[in-house]
Amino acid sequence: MSLSTQLRLVAAILFAGSCFVAAAQDFTAGALSYEILSEEDQTVAIVEGDDYYEDLTTADFPAQVTNDGVTYTVVAIGEYALSGATFAEDIVLPSTITSIGEYGLSECEGERVTLPANLEDYDPTSFQTCMISGFVIDEANSVLATVDGVLMTKDKKTIVCYPAMREGATYVVPEHVSVIGESAFRGGDEYLEEVLFHQGMTIENFAFKDNGNILRVDLPGDIVLSQGSFTGCEAVTELVLGEGIKEVPVNCFFDLCSLTSLTLPSTLEKIQSKGFGFCEELAEVKFPAKLSYIGASAFGDCGKLTAVDFANVAELGEYAFARTGLTAIELPRVTTVGDFAFAQCNSLTSADLSGATDLGASVFFRCPALSDLKLGSKTESIGGTFLYECTAIESLSIPASVTSIGNGMLVGTSALTSVAVDEGNQTYKSVDNIIYTADMKSVVSAPCGFADWAVELPEGVTTVEAMAFRKCAGLVSVVLP
């Protein structure tokens, strides 16, 4: 049994009931394996073999097969049945085929495949990454059509599959096409470098996912994008979003690892989670004035991104800029900063959060160069482990407006020796650089920069909150009241 088949069987066991289960083989006839669908109707489906099918010809696809004296009609290509198969010639599927299951012809390799008139049922993944030069289809088919070898719905408004081995560096989407279907351009392409879109189109989920040859993407302003539309397009170096686009959906441009040029429109208002995550070569981006929301991990792991003007951005999701190359940040209008928003930004030296109201947990988790931090008069809450292992910061001022501080705010701040809570704060106070609740009953958090530090807690303290003295390596003794 092939490794791929073994993995599919393991997946079926682990996720039984929520994903596909590899079809059973009832018998083998000629080059292919079959599963009996109905003994009464005497119908079968082509299913996976013990290994990938190789060098198949049209002769290997009969309309009928015989087993134990019973003749069956071949009516379907099952899930993954011909995934990864190689064709020795142009393949003409039998006229009896009415359905092709998920990934049924995905990643098959050859020249052309002719689909029958009776084919009615298919999945968006049925033809995913077909490494062929083109499709041919019987004109009598009621659901599908082809235009220059490209597979489309019968009305020619939706592209179902663009053959990955179709020649031509540029594909101009015909005016009659309004939708690029799910997974239509997914996977590797030998020739295609650019797709020219027209106005009013919709690009569905994962339409170009993992397409490894496209170099440039220029999108009209009224185009509708979807989840993961271009995720994993590793060769794209230039991306232009046209005027009119208001939102970048989840994962839309995730892992464009060669992207160096990004143009955002003035109309853009939201970038959803992982919108541009793992764009590792992206060094700069200019945010438009209307952009107010940047979601979770939207620019996470953009390691070469060194400077951003946050303009009018009001909310940052968790991990929004984690593991980027930012050196300084200023958030004049950001009110909410999500957990780990700037975690592990190794080059970050200064941060001005003067506009922020709510600061999440571990916002600056392991930012070893951060030495200058400014909190504003609007700050109300600071999450736990806010400065976890920020080893360069030496002093910190907490404004009067703060009403909530999470556990372990100062864990691992090994250079921090000066902590001052504004005297006007009604919830917290600092004494000898330790943060207490205003009633002096609880120790909230302590800096970790002192050597040979002996602490004597004042009378009235009844609680030392979790992680209050964690990673205070210089702490030698604590005297309790």
Side-chain angles (χ1 to χ4, degrees), residues 198-200 218-224 240-246 265 267:
H198 58 76
Q199 298 286 335
D218 190 341
L219 299 171
D222 62 350
I223 205 162
V224 178
V240 179
L241 303 188
E243 289 294 324
I245 293 176
K246 294 183 177 181
T267 51

Side-chain angles (χ1 to χ4, degrees), residues 223-381:
I223 205 162
V224 178
L225 298 168
S226 305
Q227 178 178 344
S229 290
F230 291 89
T231 188
C233 291
E234 60 182 21
V236 171
T237 60
E238 182 180 0
L239 172 61
V240 179
L241 303 188
E243 289 294 324
I245 293 176
K246 294 183 177 181
E247 181 174 337
V248 173
V250 174
N251 287 346
C252 193
F253 303 104
F254 180 78
D255 196 19
L256 271 61
C257 58
S258 298
L259 183 67
T260 57
S261 176
L262 173 61
T263 301
L264 301 177
S266 63
T267 51
L268 188 65
E269 298 174 359
K270 294 182 179 180
I271 299 174
Q272 300 293 352
S273 62
K274 297 183 179 180
F276 295 97
F278 272 97
C279 293
E280 298 170 331
E281 296 297 316
L282 185 63
E284 61 178 333
V285 58
K286 183 177 181 181
F287 291 149
K290 289 186 178 181
L291 181 65
S292 62
Y293 175 80
I294 298 177
S297 301
F299 288 89
D301 294 284
C302 294
K304 292 188 177 181
L305 187 61
T306 57
V308 171
D309 181 355
F310 286 91
N312 294 315
V313 176
E315 182 175 353
L316 299 178
E318 60 184 24
Y319 296 95
F321 289 87
R323 296 174 296 278
T324 59
L326 293 175
T327 58
I329 58 172
E330 185 175 352
L331 309 180
R333 294 178 177 82
V334 172
T335 57
T336 302
V337 181
D339 299 347
F340 297 91
F342 298 97
Q344 295 176 289
C345 290
N346 293 332
S347 301
L348 185 64
T349 60
S350 66
D352 183 345
L353 309 183
S354 57
T357 302
D358 299 311
L359 302 174
S362 302
V363 167
F364 296 106
F365 179 87
R366 289 180 175 163
C367 291
L370 182 64
S371 59
D372 182 12
L373 174 62
K374 180 181 179 181
L375 302 179
S377 60
K378 298 178 181 179
T379 304
E380 297 178 359
S381 64

Side-chain angles (χ1 to χ4, degrees), residues 419-470:
V419 178
V421 177
D422 189 288
E423 292 182 357
N425 192 298
Q426 301 297 307
T427 308
Y428 299 100
K429 68 187 307 181
S430 56
V431 176
D432 296 331
N433 300 296
I434 297 174
I435 303 173
Y436 295 86
T437 52
D439 58 11
M440 293 298 291
K441 290 184 178 181
S442 295
V443 178
V444 177
S445 196
C448 300
F450 293 104
D452 299 322
W453 193 25
V455 174
E456 183 174 350
L457 298 180
E459 291 296 327
V461 171
T462 59
T463 303
V464 177
E465 295 185 6
M467 299 187 287
F469 290 95
R470 186 176 180 183

Side-chain angles (χ1 to χ4, degrees), residues 59 78 88 99 116 131 147 203 214 259 391 393:
S99 69
M131 305 296 289
V147 177
I203 301 178
I214 291 179
L259 183 67
T391 55
I393 191 167

